[in-house]
Amino acid sequence: MSFRHTLAGRLMADPMAVVALIIITALVAIAVFADVISPHDHTAMNLADRFAPPSSTYWLGTDNLGRDTFSRLAQGSRIALYVALTAVTISGLIGLVLGMIAGFGPRWLDNLLLFIFDTLRAYPTIILALALAALMPRGLSTVIIVVVITSFAEYGRVVRTQTLSLKNAEFILAERAMGASFGRIVFHHVLPNVLGPFFILAAMNLPVVITIEAGMSFLGIGVPPGTPSWGATLKDGFDYIRNTPWIIIAGGLPLILVTLGFTFLGEALRDQLDPKLRKSR
Amino acid sequence: MTKTRPSAPFSNVTRRQLMAGAAALSVGAMIPVAAWADGSRLNVRAYLEPDDYDPLDASGFLEELLYGCIYRKLIQYVPGEEWDWQLDLAESIEQTSPTTIEFRLKEGQMWSDGYGEITAEDVKFSMDRHMVEENNSRIKPDLGSFTHVEVTGTYSGIIHLDRPFAPLWTIALPYLAGTVICKEAVEAAGGKITTAVPPAVSGPYRVVEHRLGERWVLERNPEFSGTPADFERVDLIVVVDDSAAEIAKDAGDVDFTSIGAGSVQRLRDNPPAGSRMTVHPALFYHWVGLNVQHPKFEDERVRQAIMHAIDVPSIMQAAFFDVAEPSTGIIAPGLIGHRPETLIPPQADFARARELLDEAGIDRLEINIDVLNNVTHTTAAQVMQAMMAQAGIDLNISVHESGSFWSLGVAADGDRWQDLELTIKRFSMTPDPYYATAWFVSDQIGDWNWEQFSSEEFDRLHDEALSETDPDLRDEMYRRMQDLMEESGGYRFLTHGVTANLFADSIAPATRPDGLPLVQFFRRA
């Protein structure tokens, strides 16, 4: 099979996917090489230069303590990626396992899990975050726990639906008739078919998680002050918006780009992985 | 058969009618604005929410903001630049001996809601209840050596002290503890005001509604016996954040607000149209407190190292935008007991801090600081974090909303008070040093004394100073008390700050000399 017929090849032929991959690659590169590309120490205060506008010295200006905004955003990309990848991975795995259990399990178990999924999905994320923040120490772990609790149900729902539609499909029934084990059916036939929608959902959820982290930090229930998260930068920007608009503009920029990048990627993946959409093109 | 086409909604409305309707809607939408613009309504920002209507629960200026509007006192502060008092309920009041003060009430001063005339029994009830142990009055220290009120007639009485109490005229009578409440109404309510609106008020305004976490809605009290208030309605609007308050002022949602230090210079350079700003030297005191009883800080050298690693000028520059000066203690300039300088200079000495840690055998010290979620204190904490790292101290910052923060050091609210390490706090103040030191005596541990500082000499001096009438001796005593606080390693004094107020030029605000508003005296300009 030639490269252009592989998933990667098809994605590279899609302009939306290319834009998405450029943005995401840039984000990952900035996160990985943050220490190298940051022109200043992100913790270094320089009160004489606070609220400086963008310049050749401070590419995105400085904050209220004279810290370089670009360097802080570069470091913040590590936090954003760390939270997003960790939270999406954990919630995805939990959702995957529970969704398949619901799909294959007895009716009562399916109903019970469905009840749990729907209850959790109905609970507003920020309200839950506020409640948990009062009980738990402030930090990235709390942010991740909040995201996992509020988002694994979505994966579980999608996986359950896929599993239910697959478990009585003709090819699965044929496998069973030929004496295939339960494990073979799950890992060789159901799981690969579930992963397509699962990854689309994960790609779509990554920016949501990043926004939740930023939102929690903005509300003061995310990372502790001084941590260079994007939400904390936005909060500083809001606090000092009368002194300079640059902090809030710079703080919002990566959030917009990352949301666009992952949303484009999710859309492109859906175009390529959803057989109905592929046929219609 | 003919079919009639169903008419679309508003199909008969002509363009002219639409325009007329839009105009009518616009006029309608302007009605509240017009009502506001005529000055009948006043919106004042409160930086936190007052606790409730019962002076037993009062904790500081926020309650005074509310009580000043709805209750009266024997005497009240005079608005202006000098600390002074004026008669309120009292027709006359006089110190007849070092331990007795005789007063006579004005006749015909009425309670609302049919509770009749204000009498000396009300004064006695209001003040005596703070001395009842079971009532757990949080402002009992305000009353110093007060023992009881003796009623000598319907309108007259004698305030008794067990020894002279110098701050009586500056704290006890014109501030929270001097608030007179209605005996009959409170007793009918079970001895404590826990109702949604107070059962009886006497001030220029009465409470109409309390929207929890949002605002107190007051309206002119028609039964007020003094000069009627200028405003039909006063809203005390809770806006915790200074930036949000400034935006609310710009949007016209509040008429009077205090603003953050970060805005002072900008507003001086570009004053907003239709607004005025005033800046007053404040009496507040901000400080970094350290729990001296915490096992981590048992070694005095560790405490001193932390104090040396806090650079006050940097905090002034970053958090107070250089509009405030470093303080030398808890007593502001101009008051008895103000110290000319601190024992440890305000500038950090990282080498000395490192040296003290080395002597204590500590290579790297990790400590925690709890701060309120306001910009000033979180910024100060971040400056400390960056600076202290130079001395090998890792500072973790925990930010709390106000309800959670102000319960951290209170024993009655859980066990967290014992685990506290560092905090940044700001206390309000009155023009007598007694009010500053009262919160740091040993008895206050588990309540307001979060540093758990305990010194027999401090307690004794505090006790003696409240009866001392020689200003020079008092001055010396209070200076010594602040030395003791600093020597303990539990206190790094930051600043008294400034109070900057931004207000609509359609109002004539009334403030204390430290800039705090006396809303009951606000008038239309």
Side-chain angles (χ1 to χ4, degrees), chain B residues 284-297:
Chain B
F284 289 120
Y285 47 99
H286 302 248
W287 79 101
V288 178
L290 178 151
N291 177 0
V292 294
Q293 303 292 341
H294 195 284
K296 218 181 252 188
F297 309 127

Side-chain angles (χ1 to χ4, degrees), chain A residues 32 37 72 86 90 105 111 117 129 146 151 153 158 166 182-184 186 206 214 239 246:
Chain A
V32 172
I37 61 171
R72 293 184 69 73
T86 311
I90 295 172
N111 285 339
F117 292 161
V146 167
S151 61
V158 168
L166 284 167
F182 178 73
R184 181 178 167 77
V186 168
L206 281 166
D239 288 338
W246 292 112

Side-chain angles (χ1 to χ4, degrees), chain B residues 287-522:
Chain B
W287 79 101
V288 178
L290 178 151
N291 177 0
V292 294
Q293 303 292 341
H294 195 284
K296 218 181 252 188
F297 309 127
E298 266 175 358
D299 190 329
E300 194 187 331
R301 290 169 298 189
V302 176
R303 303 199 293 265
Q304 294 296 343
I306 293 169
M307 295 301 135
H308 277 290
I310 299 172
D311 191 54
V312 180
S314 295
I315 294 173
M316 289 304 102
Q317 196 181 359
F320 292 89
F321 287 77
D322 276 339
V323 294
E325 293 292 324
S327 60
T328 59
I330 53 180
I331 299 166
L335 299 184
I336 286 174
H338 171 71
R339 289 193 306 175
E341 58 187 17
T342 48
L343 302 178
I344 298 175
Q347 292 79 12
D349 184 343
F350 301 116
R352 177 71 186 134
R354 189 58 258 169
E355 199 178 294
L356 284 162
L357 286 178
D358 288 341
E359 283 173 20
I362 292 174
D363 179 37
R364 197 92 200 161
L365 180 66
E366 187 174 346
I367 55 177
N368 302 306
I369 188 164
D370 292 284
V371 295
L372 191 61
N373 62 349
N374 68 41
V375 179
T376 306
H377 286 181
T378 50
T379 304
Q382 287 183 68
V383 173
M384 284 172 59
Q385 188 181 49
M387 294 288 178
M388 290 172 108
Q390 296 180 42
I393 300 170
D394 296 323
L395 183 68
N396 302 315
I397 306 169
S398 295
V399 180
H400 307 262
E401 54 81 29
S402 65
S404 161
F405 180 78
W406 288 111
S407 66
L408 285 174
V410 181
D413 290 341
D415 295 328
R416 289 184 299 181
W417 65 287
Q418 289 169 319
D419 301 324
L420 276 181
E421 295 182 19
L422 270 69
T423 50
I424 300 180
K425 293 193 290 299
R426 184 190 80 167
F427 275 7
S428 55
M429 177 61 179
T430 59
D432 193 283
Y434 165 79
Y435 196 77
T437 53
W439 317 110
F440 304 101
V441 294
S442 304
D443 282 352
Q444 286 290 322
I445 292 176
D447 202 353
W448 293 112
N449 181 354
W450 294 9
E451 290 74 27
Q452 299 188 41
F453 162 70
S454 181
S455 158
E456 279 181 22
E457 186 185 354
F458 183 94
D459 293 354
R460 180 178 51 76
L461 284 170
H462 172 76
D463 202 41
E464 288 172 5
L466 68 88
S467 309
E468 181 56 63
T469 48
D470 181 335
D472 291 337
L473 276 177
R474 275 193 100 207
D475 188 61
E476 202 177 301
M477 288 167 148
Y478 283 109
R479 287 185 193 197
R480 174 66 187 145
M481 280 188 257
Q482 290 167 93
D483 286 349
L484 288 169
M485 291 171 81
E486 198 177 347
E487 281 167 6
S488 74
Y491 301 87
R492 183 66 156 155
F493 303 113
L494 297 179
T495 183
H496 299 290
V498 293
T499 305
N501 295 323
L502 184 67
F503 53 91
D505 57 12
S506 58
I507 62 169
T511 59
R512 305 188 326 189
D514 59 354
L516 296 182
L518 298 164
V519 177
Q520 64 271 34
F521 299 127
F522 275 36

Side-chain angles (χ1 to χ4, degrees), chain A residues 7 27 34 41 53 55 94 99 102 109 138 147 179 184 205-207 231 237:
Chain A
L7 176 63
L27 170 71
D41 175 358
S55 65
I94 295 172
L109 186 59
R138 191 172 153 161
V147 172
R184 181 178 167 77
N205 260 348
L206 281 166

Side-chain angles (χ1 to χ4, degrees), chain B residues 132-145:
Chain B
V132 178
E133 209 59 45
E134 302 85 67
N135 284 343
N136 291 322
S137 168
R138 296 195 81 191
I139 52 169
K140 187 181 168 189
D142 291 18
L143 286 166
S145 57

Side-chain angles (χ1 to χ4, degrees), chain A residues 252-277:
Chain A
L253 207 61
L255 277 170
I256 294 168
L257 285 174
V258 164
T259 305
L260 278 178
F262 281 109
T263 307
F264 283 178
L265 180 68
E267 294 282 348
L269 277 174
R270 192 172 59 179
D271 288 352
Q272 299 305 326
L273 293 175
D274 189 332
K276 289 176 195 162
L277 287 175

